[in-house]
Amino acid sequence: MKLRKLLLVGLIMGLLQGADKLNDAPASSFADAFSRGLIYGHAGLLFQQSINNAPTYGDINLSLGYESRRFLGYKFGGEMWIIPKLYEGRANDFRTSQTYFEVPQLYADYYNQYERFGGTIGRFKMDEEWITHFNEGLSVSYDQISNLSLAFTWSLRNAYITNYYTQNYKVFGEYQSGKVGSWRGGAFYLRATLQIPQAPIKLMPYIYLVPDFFVAPGLKGELNLPITKSLIFNGIIHLTSYVELNDARKITNNSGGGIIWAEGGIDWSGFRAGVGIINTPQGGAIFIDGFGQHTPFERTDGIFYYNAITPYAFISTNFWNYLNVYGAFRTSIIDAQSVINWEAKMDITPIQNVRMGIMALGMNNPTPAPARFGSNLGSYMIFRGYIEYRF
């Protein structure tokens, strides 16, 4: 009996550790695709201590996911999170930042490797310029044309789920601070990515539309220029026009809005540093980051507000995939006031699949600019400590 138990435990551990290798092999049937899929997840502890109005709490965060192998181009997957509370500093601190149970992913995915066409429907993770994290909707892509890929995304609802913050699925406009519009049909994003032949330049024209809120056509250019074998210069130029579609806010946007964004930096053997500036004119680009954003910052209070100028800097290092350090600082100047925001993070991987770390974040927002992580809390600091095991 003991031998059987040992064999059973060994088989389960072998499947968990080797599932990613099995997942690469083609499935012979739908039954085979499901029986030999990839099981993954994590178990972690989080402790958050805050100064002033931000929440203080501790929790256990657990996730379990499954992804089938492909058969005839199809695969299926799902993921759930359970977050038991350990303690909270004040009443409702935990529920301000976390929920007890979420199902961030439940999807069907198709990809034709010959026509290079695919799509995903359901709840799944996205990483587009303004639609990130987990989304409930549809995404399709086509990259059969050389040096060109096309993608369309419709996100009905969006969820922000990490080990330190969990926001349930919400329609566009449902900030923690309240609803900012009546449209409940989601956000639409159409993007092309063009790699310039024989050049280290990538162009991404797009149009981002949320009916009853705004339409934002834009163009992002990326430059990755090798200086030496180990030194690369990275540059970004991002131009976006922003037109309000909401009657209540058109008055403050009558001169037109948009984003002018420039960034430059270097990448040298695991060391990365850069500086940038983001400018939104008098019309602003308010709420454009409601479903996510790609700035170097976790929190974007004031960056896309009316008549804001945001210079910033960041630095990160990676030592032998063992130690990761990251830091960033910005100030968003809005008329006669300024938002000051900084963050620092250090991750250590002492053994494979185990990650522990600490993080600190500071925010001083005296402006009326809304906050993605709840109502404007003014001035506060957050300190986090965490450890997790991934399988």
Side-chain angles (χ1 to χ4, degrees):
M1 182 64 68
K2 291 182 178 180
L3 179 60
R4 290 181 179 178
K5 289 183 178 179
L6 289 174
L7 289 174
L8 179 59
V9 171
L11 178 61
I12 293 174
M13 293 302 294
L15 286 173
L16 292 177
Q17 295 177 0
D20 54 342
K21 295 181 181 179
L22 292 174
N23 198 55
D24 292 335
S28 58
S29 64
F30 275 117
D32 181 50
F34 280 99
S35 65
R36 300 174 66 188
L38 171 66
I39 300 173
Y40 63 92
H42 91 284
L45 292 171
L46 171 72
F47 304 95
Q48 176 166 307
Q49 178 67 46
S50 301
I51 298 176
N52 292 340
N53 297 320
T56 292
Y57 60 90
D59 64 51
I60 302 171
N61 45 92
L62 309 166
S63 71
L64 181 64
Y66 171 82
E67 180 182 297
S68 74
R69 292 188 297 149
R70 288 193 188 276
F71 177 67
L72 298 178
Y74 294 93
K75 72 173 181 179
F76 305 88
E79 180 180 335
M80 66 177 182
W81 282 61
I82 300 175
I83 311 173
K85 179 180 68 174
L86 293 177
Y87 68 90
E88 58 185 7
R90 294 165 296 188
N92 298 320
D93 265 7
F94 179 77
R95 291 308 299 269
T96 299
S97 295
Q98 301 282 42
T99 59
Y100 293 108
F101 177 77
E102 296 296 339
V103 181
Q105 296 200 86
L106 189 62
Y107 63 87
D109 181 273
Y110 172 78
Y111 185 73
N112 186 316
Q113 61 180 333
Y114 304 106
E115 298 296 330
R116 303 183 71 176
F117 168 82
T120 309
I121 189 170
R123 290 184 169 185
F124 56 98
K125 202 166 188 177
M126 296 185 195
D127 191 24
E128 295 290 351
E129 186 67 34
W130 300 110
I131 300 181
T132 62
H133 300 294
F134 296 97
N135 288 266
E136 186 177 81
L138 169 71
S139 178
V140 295
S141 64
Y142 178 75
D143 55 356
Q144 178 70 10
I145 304 172
S146 179
N147 297 316
L148 177 66
S149 66
L150 304 172
F152 169 77
T153 294
W154 166 63
S155 179
L156 176 62
R157 300 193 297 171
N158 175 275
Y160 192 109
I161 298 175
T162 68
N163 66 330
Y164 60 83
Y165 183 83
T166 303
Q167 182 189 65
N168 197 3
Y169 276 92
K170 294 179 180 293
V171 300
F172 193 98
E174 287 187 354
Y175 273 64
Q176 295 278 10
S177 55
K179 295 182 180 180
V180 294
S182 59
W183 172 253
R184 304 187 65 84
F188 302 84
Y189 186 84
L190 178 63
R191 181 260 303 165
T193 300
L194 174 63
Q195 177 65 58
I196 304 299
Q198 310 300 320
I201 299 174
K202 184 186 295 183
L203 298 177
M204 288 174 282
Y206 65 84
I207 183 167
Y208 185 29
L209 169 66
V210 183
D212 192 46
F213 281 83
F214 61 81
V215 57
L219 174 65
K220 182 178 182 180
E222 294 183 355
L223 172 67
N224 296 285
L225 180 64
I227 306 300
T228 66
K229 288 185 179 180
S230 58
L231 179 63
I232 299 175
F233 174 80
N234 301 302
I236 293 175
I237 296 293
H238 190 168
L239 305 174
T240 300
S241 176
Y242 180 94
V243 179
E244 282 280 8
L245 301 179
N246 185 278
D247 292 334
R249 293 193 308 275
K250 280 183 180 179
I251 299 175
T252 57
N253 190 255
N254 55 11
S255 60
I259 298 171
I260 304 172
W261 185 348
E263 180 183 296
I266 59 169
D267 193 336
W268 178 58
S269 300
F271 172 84
R272 188 166 182 260
V275 295
I277 187 167
I278 303 173
N279 178 39
T280 55
Q282 186 174 356
I286 191 168
F287 304 124
I288 194 172
D289 59 331
F291 271 14
Q293 45 84 22
H294 274 185
T295 74
F297 299 92
E298 175 186 308
R299 307 187 175 209
T300 58
D301 305 16
I303 293 181
F304 305 111
Y305 200 63
Y306 308 110
N307 197 30
I309 300 175
T310 303
Y312 65 87
F314 62 89
I315 185 172
S316 67
T317 60
N318 185 335
F319 297 100
W320 313 289
N321 295 320
Y322 170 77
L323 175 65
N324 291 277
V325 180
Y326 178 79
F329 175 85
R330 72 173 169 101
T331 177
S332 295
I333 304 167
I334 303 172
D335 297 328
Q337 295 179 312
S338 296
V339 177
I340 304 295
N341 176 212
W342 57 268
E343 60 183 75
K345 181 178 181 181
M346 181 176 68
D347 281 343
I348 302 174
T349 307
I351 59 176
Q352 186 178 7
N353 299 332
V354 174
R355 181 176 71 109
M356 58 179 59
I358 55 175
M359 180 180 181
L361 182 151
M363 176 71 73
N364 180 20
N365 182 9
T367 74
R372 178 71 168 82
F373 289 79
S375 58
N376 189 337
L377 301 179
S379 177
Y380 61 90
M381 284 192 290
I382 293 174
F383 302 92
R384 300 185 185 120
Y386 47 88
I387 182 172
E388 64 181 28
Y389 169 74
R390 291 189 173 274
F391 58 87

